[in-house]
């Protein structure tokens, strides 16, 4: 869960922890009441905060009183009386180990074994932790996952709660992991629900029973607007700040990624407001937020001199673009 914790901490450091109470109510209530096919899909466009929400679900930040979750965290981020989190799987397109069907099944089994919410009895009728791990070794991963879920079904409901296994980034996982969920999620015990995020509608899920929570709508846009207004300190008494905040929020089209980038550039004076307006007017007909244009405008302003760009920025950018994974500063310096 280290990836989840990093996402969560970075979001908090940037002031990007919007409560989004409507989302938490929708997810927790649906899970608590039972979801068709034991699969709840959280759908939203790029940058809408899907991964950050999953990180908040599975790795809440520490509260002021260690060992005792705060009232706010328990209500908004930590589930409810009837919902707990057993584990998570974050899919990253550039990390094959996260998109492997085999490792996905192993991860689910390991999460159940480690979870304090599930107890295994030393009884012939109830599988032990070792048996859960053993069945995942079957070559066919659909069969392995079904066998794992069948064993879990023989265990009593943990503490009368429904448990969530979060899966982030089905669109990055490719067809394998998505097809596994489509084929097997319905075989999970009633106390287990998969909550999975995706950008669109994967064809593998077309015939799978599921429920959907959509971030791309009026409530998602309102979340972005509230975030921008707080970030830019826009108040009803400050007409100019309110006007800027409302326009940035409108241009974001539900993307926290664009909203955050625009706010950071405005706060640091790296992009004057008139330049931002020109950029937004030029991309007015685009389908999504003009994030590429935002970065291009900043680069053009920072490196207006082609010779200076070629000497200072281009070598570093070439190294970053060629690297298959994130690099440390020391690695970049050595490569140059």
């Amino acid at each position: 869960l280290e990836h989840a914790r990093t996402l969560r901490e970075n979001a908090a450091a940037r002031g990007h922890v919007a409560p989004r109470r409507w989302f938490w109510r929708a997810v927790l209530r649906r899970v608590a009441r039972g979801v068709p096919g034991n699969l709840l899909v959280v759908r939203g466009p790029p940058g809408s905060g899907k991964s950050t929400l999953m990180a908040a679900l599975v790795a809440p930040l520490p509260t002021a009183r260690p060992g005792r979750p705060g009232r706010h965290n328990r209500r908004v981020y930590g589930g409810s009386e009837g919902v707990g989190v057993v584990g998570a799987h974050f899919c990253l397109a550039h990390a094959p180990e996260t998109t492997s069907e085999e490792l996905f099944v192993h991860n689910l089994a390991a999460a159940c074994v480690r979870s304090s919410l599930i107890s295994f009895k030393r009884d012939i009728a109830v599988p032990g932790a070792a048996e859960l791990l053993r069945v995942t070794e079957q070559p066919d991963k659909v069969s392995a996952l079904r066998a794992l879920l069948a064993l879990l079904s023989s265990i009593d409901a943990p503490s009368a709660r429904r448990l969530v296994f979060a899966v982030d980034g089905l669109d990055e996982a490719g067809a394998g992991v998505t097809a596994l969920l489509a084929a097997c999620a319905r075989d999970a015990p009633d106390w287990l629900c998969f909550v999975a995020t995706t950008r669109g509608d994967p064809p593998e899920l077309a015939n799978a029973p599921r429920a959907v929570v959509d971030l791309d709508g009026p409530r998602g846009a309102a979340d972005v607007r509230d975030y921008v207004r707080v970030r830019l300190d826009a108040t009803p008494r400050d007409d100019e700040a309110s006007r800027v905040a409302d326009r940035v929020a409108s241009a974001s089209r539900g993307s926290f990624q664009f909203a955050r980038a625009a706010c950071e550039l405005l706060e640091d004076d790296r992009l004057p407001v008139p330049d931002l307006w020109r950029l937004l007017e030029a991309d007015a007909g685009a389908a999504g937020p003009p994030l590429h244009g935002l970065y291009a405008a900043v680069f053009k302003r920072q490196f207006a001199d082609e010779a200076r760009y070629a000497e200072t920025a281009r070598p570093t950018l070439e190294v970053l673009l060629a690297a298959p994974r994130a690099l440390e500063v020391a690695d970049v310096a050595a490569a140059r």
Side-chain angles (χ1 to χ4, degrees):
L1 298 181
E2 190 58 36
H3 179 67
R5 294 190 185 95
T6 300
L7 276 172
R8 187 81 174 86
E9 290 164 1
N10 287 346
R14 294 167 175 164
H16 183 191
V17 188
R20 306 191 87 160
R21 288 181 175 83
W22 69 267
F23 169 83
W24 296 113
R25 281 197 297 267
V27 169
L28 297 177
R29 286 177 180 174
R30 292 190 185 194
V31 171
R33 294 171 182 172
V35 176
N38 301 316
L39 177 60
L40 177 59
V41 175
V42 177
R43 185 174 58 200
S48 56
K50 300 182 296 297
S51 295
T52 300
L53 288 170
M54 289 301 98
L57 176 66
V58 303
L61 289 175
T63 54
R65 302 177 68 181
R68 298 186 61 186
R71 180 173 59 88
H72 176 74
N73 272 17
R74 183 169 62 252
R75 184 179 71 249
V76 178
Y77 298 116
S80 68
E81 292 296 330
V83 178
V85 179
V86 68
H89 190 90
F90 282 75
C91 302
L92 304 171
H94 63 273
E97 66 272 16
T98 70
T99 60
S100 160
E101 300 161 61
E102 179 181 5
L103 293 181
F104 173 79
V105 178
H106 284 187
N107 189 20
L108 173 60
C112 292
V113 169
R114 291 194 306 264
S115 176
S116 61
L117 300 174
I118 301 176
S119 60
F120 300 97
K121 302 174 183 177
R122 295 181 179 276
D123 188 295
I124 297 176
V126 179
E131 179 66 8
L132 257 65
L133 295 175
R134 187 188 67 78
V135 299
T136 66
E137 300 299 330
Q138 299 182 42
D140 180 69
K141 292 310 156 188
V142 171
S143 299
L145 182 52
R146 282 183 172 150
L148 171 61
L149 295 175
L151 287 177
L152 290 174
S153 296
S154 66
I155 298 174
D156 292 335
S159 306
R161 306 177 82 186
R162 290 187 185 273
L163 300 186
V164 165
F165 186 78
V167 185
D168 182 62
L170 289 183
D171 47 283
E172 295 203 41
V177 172
T178 307
L180 269 182
L181 284 178
C184 304
R186 70 193 77 185
D187 298 322
D190 290 339
W191 50 261
L192 179 62
C193 175
F194 294 94
V195 177
T197 68
T198 181
R199 292 181 178 181
D201 293 305
E204 293 80 13
L205 294 181
N207 298 317
R210 66 197 183 282
V212 177
V213 174
D214 205 332
L215 298 176
D216 188 16
R219 291 181 297 187
D223 290 335
V224 175
R225 183 185 64 247
D226 293 343
Y227 164 76
V228 172
R229 291 183 70 85
V230 170
R231 187 70 186 262
L232 297 181
D233 198 23
T235 63
R237 296 182 179 181
D238 190 338
D239 292 338
E240 178 60 20
S242 295
R243 187 172 66 87
V244 172
D246 288 345
R247 191 162 182 184
V248 169
S250 176
S252 299
R253 300 183 181 98
S255 170
F256 272 102
Q257 187 177 8
F258 176 86
R260 188 188 71 225
C263 289
E264 288 177 351
L265 294 173
L266 291 172
E267 289 170 340
D268 298 341
D269 292 326
R270 284 182 286 166
L271 186 67
V273 171
D275 287 2
L276 178 59
W277 289 170
R278 282 193 290 271
L279 170 66
L280 297 182
E281 289 167 1
D283 283 48
L291 192 61
H292 63 286
L294 190 65
Y295 293 143
V298 173
F299 265 78
K300 185 174 181 180
R301 179 177 173 84
Q302 186 73 25
F303 302 106
D305 184 342
E306 180 69 24
R308 182 186 172 204
Y309 164 77
E311 179 183 352
T312 60
R314 184 170 179 174
T316 301
L317 291 176
E318 288 177 341
V319 171
L320 294 175
L321 289 173
R325 300 197 177 202
L327 298 176
E328 300 291 337
V329 174
D331 297 329
V332 177
R336 290 190 60 191

